[in-house]
């Protein structure tokens, strides 16, 4: 079946512009995660959605970052007024439920801020 | 909150040798410990996991051991092959709806032919 998809696969933007990154989770998965991975680094947790509960936003690095999940499915990560340090691969993952369930990762969006 | 430490950060072995990656966690309530493999240009993929009611789990050349008392778990890869070269991440979580998993910083494994 279809896995987690993300779009675009690559995004180049100028400093100061806003960007939107999209994640389509596996159908029926109630949990959705966003991570950031800088070159050669580990997974930096950004935000976690679980069903209809309030999202866990504890990993968002600044108020320029926000995310929504509409209808419990598709999610959009928005970065406002992008900075060069925002350049990274943004990974989305979904799981059947949160916590002790396997996370299925998408291929990521490579964001480059010039 | 949970803290997961992973060692070593890089590991180089000869083809056919074994590789061991170790992780420690801080929250004794954590009860699920997955390992993910990330190949270049791809998202991480689960390769094996273990729950706290089990001490060891094996799947062909891959095994994971868990010591709940010491709060550490390890990934063992035997008879390594060049295609095992990748970045490996451990993680810890607790409860079905208890929120996010905590990941280690990753180990870059290189298997030399």
């Amino acid at each position: 079946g279809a896995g987690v998809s993300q779009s675009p696969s690559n995004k180049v933007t100028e400093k100061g512009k806003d960007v939107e990154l999209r994640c389509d989770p596996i159908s029926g998965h109630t949990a959705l995660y966003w991570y950031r991975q800088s070159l050669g680094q580990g997974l930096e947790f950004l935000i976690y959605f679980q069903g209809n509960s309030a999202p866990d936003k504890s990993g968002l690095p600044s108020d320029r970052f926000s995310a929504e999940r509409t209808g419990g499915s598709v999610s959009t990560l928005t970065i406002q007024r992008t900075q060069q340090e925002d350049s990274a691969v943004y990974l989305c993952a979904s799981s059947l439920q949160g916590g002790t369930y396997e996370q299925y990762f998408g291929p990521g969006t490579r964001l480059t801020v010039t | 909150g949970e803290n997961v430490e992973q060692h070593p950060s890089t590991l180089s072995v000869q083809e056919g040798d074994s590789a061991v990656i170790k992780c420690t966690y801080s929250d004794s309530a954590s009860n699920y410990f997955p390992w993910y493999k990330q190949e270049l240009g791809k998202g991480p993929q689960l390769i094996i996991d273990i729950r706290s009611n089990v001490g060891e789990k094996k799947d062909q050349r891959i095994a994971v051991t868990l010591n709940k008392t010491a709060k550490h778990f390890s990934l063992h890869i035997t008879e390594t092959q060049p295609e095992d070269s990748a970045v490996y991440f451990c993680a810890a979580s607790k409860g079905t709806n208890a929120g996010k998993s905590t990941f280690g910083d990753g180990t870059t494994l290189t298997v030399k032919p």
Side-chain angles (χ1 to χ4, degrees):
Chain A
V4 177
S5 61
Q6 292 186 245
S7 60
S9 55
N10 282 283
K11 176 70 176 179
V12 179
T13 190
E14 292 181 351
K15 177 182 174 181
K17 301 285 188 181
D18 297 352
V19 294
E20 286 190 352
L21 311 180
R22 177 186 170 105
C23 173
D24 284 84
I26 293 173
S27 178
H29 281 193
T30 64
L32 187 146
Y33 308 78
W34 282 99
Y35 299 90
R36 179 168 69 176
Q37 187 172 36
S38 300
L39 188 62
Q41 301 299 309
L43 300 170
E44 178 187 3
F45 166 78
L46 297 178
I47 189 168
Y48 160 64
F49 296 89
Q50 172 60 60
N52 296 320
S53 302
D56 177 354
K57 304 179 181 180
S58 60
L60 294 178
S62 76
D63 58 8
R64 296 186 296 105
F65 288 73
S66 63
E68 291 185 342
R69 188 178 186 191
T70 54
S73 181
V74 173
S75 178
T76 302
L77 177 69
T78 300
I79 308 174
Q80 296 179 312
R81 306 181 301 281
T82 51
Q83 304 294 313
Q84 287 187 332
E85 58 264 30
D86 298 335
S87 296
V89 175
Y90 290 81
L91 290 163
C92 174
S94 71
S95 64
L96 193 60
Q97 295 188 51
T100 59
Y101 284 79
E102 173 184 358
Q103 294 185 32
Y104 294 81
F105 285 82
T109 293
R110 180 174 298 278
L111 175 66
T112 303
V113 182
T114 61
Chain B
E2 174 70 279
N3 182 49
V4 176
E5 294 190 358
Q6 183 171 346
H7 299 280
S9 57
T10 60
L11 179 60
S12 182
V13 299
Q14 288 294 135
E15 182 177 1
D17 287 352
S18 296
V20 180
I21 303 170
K22 298 181 179 181
C23 288
T24 61
Y25 61 100
S26 60
D27 190 341
S28 57
S30 289
N31 58 8
Y32 176 63
F33 308 94
W35 286 89
Y36 290 85
K37 175 183 180 182
Q38 185 176 29
E39 298 177 336
L40 200 61
K42 297 182 179 180
Q45 184 173 13
L46 181 78
I47 55 171
I48 195 168
D49 56 13
I50 192 167
R51 299 180 187 274
S52 60
N53 58 344
V54 175
E56 183 175 1
K57 184 176 179 180
K58 189 173 182 180
D59 182 4
Q60 298 182 358
R61 297 187 296 108
I62 295 173
V64 57
T65 58
L66 171 65
N67 183 324
K68 287 166 43 181
T69 302
K71 296 205 283 288
H72 68 68
F73 56 111
S74 301
L75 177 71
H76 304 252
I77 306 174
T78 58
E79 301 172 21
T80 53
Q81 301 168 4
E83 51 265 38
D84 294 329
S85 296
V87 180
Y88 292 81
F89 293 97
C90 64
S93 64
K94 55 184 178 181
T96 300
N97 293 309
K100 65 183 187 291
S101 300
T102 302
F103 282 80
D105 288 338
T107 297
T108 300
L109 173 65
T110 303
V111 180
K112 299 178 181 178

